[in-house]
Amino acid sequence: MPNERLRDALLRNGLTLEQVSKAVGVDQKTVERWITKNRTPYPKHRHKIAAMARESETYLWPDSVAPERKAETAAAEVVRVFPHRNAIPVELWDRLIKEASETVEVLVHAALFLVERPRFIKDLTAKAAAGAKIRLVFGDPEGESVALRGEEEQLGDGTLAARIRNALASYRPLIGVDGVEMRFHNTTLYNSIFRFDDEMIINTHVYGFQGAHAPSLHLRRLSAGDLFETYSESFEAVWNLAKPATF
């Protein structure tokens, strides 16, 4: 079975078999076999290819990293654990938002706290204009999952849906902006995900607690890591199920 992940990653980054073979110092036919026959390169080659393709080793070759190493690397991907989301320093949010230049992905119900930042929408607009890919997924205010979450958090009937609509009002300037896509999801939200290039804030969800009071993880992507990639794939799964947002 061909390694379609590797093939796709090389194509997305405009990398030819010849370029890869020269960069890692192997024959072009070897690179072709890595793709067509799903052969696994040596570790030194995997690391270089992953860097060139801007993907993690575990994404390109899921079975190549030993479980022991995966566990060690996953621990190293955790920069810091916060007891509550509202314990995350403002300076960290400022840096993540400011430094992101390629990818901003947000999976939430409402996340009103983001649009309470005076420059957040302007920053996203500027980043999209500079070529960044912005993908935002909100809870569908008419969806069953939002109604259920509102009950679980004891917010009162319709409160969470109202919060989402309030947040969406602030995102209206992003409608039609090239590089910005917004969707509604109706899935069970186990975690809110905030990705800024190769760093993430994961706001876990705890039954009976509002998101601001639930624990959060600050992650930094590592090539051989599996933790960052797990949340990235989760975002992608929800994104593919979501529908275009209507305002």
Side-chain angles (χ1 to χ4, degrees):
M1 181 177 177
N3 189 334
E4 297 296 347
R5 289 187 175 188
L6 177 58
R7 188 200 306 275
D8 178 70
L10 297 182
L11 287 173
R12 277 189 284 107
N13 288 278
L15 297 169
T16 65
L17 299 183
E18 182 181 7
Q19 288 173 315
V20 175
S21 67
K22 288 182 178 179
V24 300
V26 299
D27 185 82
Q28 190 169 320
K29 287 290 184 182
T30 299
V31 179
E32 187 176 351
R33 285 192 288 271
W34 289 342
I35 298 173
T36 60
K37 298 185 182 296
N38 201 11
R39 300 278 176 82
T40 302
Y42 289 123
K44 63 179 181 180
H45 295 149
R46 292 200 304 267
H47 182 73
K48 186 141 194 176
I49 294 169
M52 293 172 66
R54 299 182 180 185
E55 292 289 356
S56 67
E57 289 181 48
T58 53
Y59 173 79
L60 297 174
W61 303 281
D63 301 323
S64 64
V65 182
E68 296 81 5
R69 188 185 173 204
K70 281 187 178 181
E72 292 173 356
T73 308
E77 286 184 288
V78 179
V79 179
R80 188 173 173 185
V81 178
F82 297 94
H84 315 290
R85 192 196 68 213
N86 60 11
I88 299 174
V90 172
E91 294 76 16
L92 176 56
W93 287 111
D94 287 344
R95 181 183 66 77
L96 293 174
I97 295 168
K98 179 181 178 181
E99 294 181 358
S101 60
E102 297 181 357
T103 304
V104 176
E105 294 175 341
V106 175
L107 170 60
V108 293
H109 278 131
L112 265 171
F113 75 97
L114 284 178
V115 292
E116 288 171 353
R117 311 176 68 81
R119 287 201 51 83
F120 184 65
I121 300 301
K122 292 180 180 178
D123 286 340
L124 292 186
T125 303
K127 290 179 186 300
K133 184 178 182 180
I134 314 291
R135 296 195 293 177
L136 311 172
V137 197
F138 309 97
D140 184 345
E142 303 295 334
E144 295 177 357
S145 65
V146 166
L148 179 59
R149 177 53 61 87
E151 291 178 14
E152 293 174 346
E153 294 185 359
Q154 302 175 11
L155 296 176
D157 187 34
T159 300
L160 182 55
R163 285 185 182 178
I164 295 171
R165 293 188 181 96
N166 287 343
L168 292 175
S170 298
Y171 284 94
R172 287 185 185 279
L174 295 176
I175 297 175
V177 173
D178 289 340
V180 178
E181 294 183 79
M182 294 182 281
R183 295 185 181 182
F184 283 163
H185 73 85
N186 191 28
T187 59
T188 300
L189 193 62
Y190 297 102
N191 306 276
S192 292
I193 298 175
F194 307 87
R195 178 180 176 179
F196 305 93
D197 289 349
D198 288 337
E199 294 186 66
M200 277 185 185
I201 297 293
I202 304 298
N203 184 192
T204 66
H205 290 282
V206 180
Y207 186 89
F209 288 79
Q210 295 184 34
H213 303 145
S216 294
L217 310 176
H218 175 199
L219 307 181
R220 181 174 287 118
R221 185 182 196 180
L222 296 177
S223 178
D226 207 24
L227 190 58
F228 187 101
E229 196 59 46
T230 295
Y231 287 109
S232 182
E233 291 186 20
S234 176
F235 176 92
E236 203 67 38
V238 176
W239 178 262
N240 290 334
L241 291 172
K243 63 182 183 181
T246 54
F247 289 77

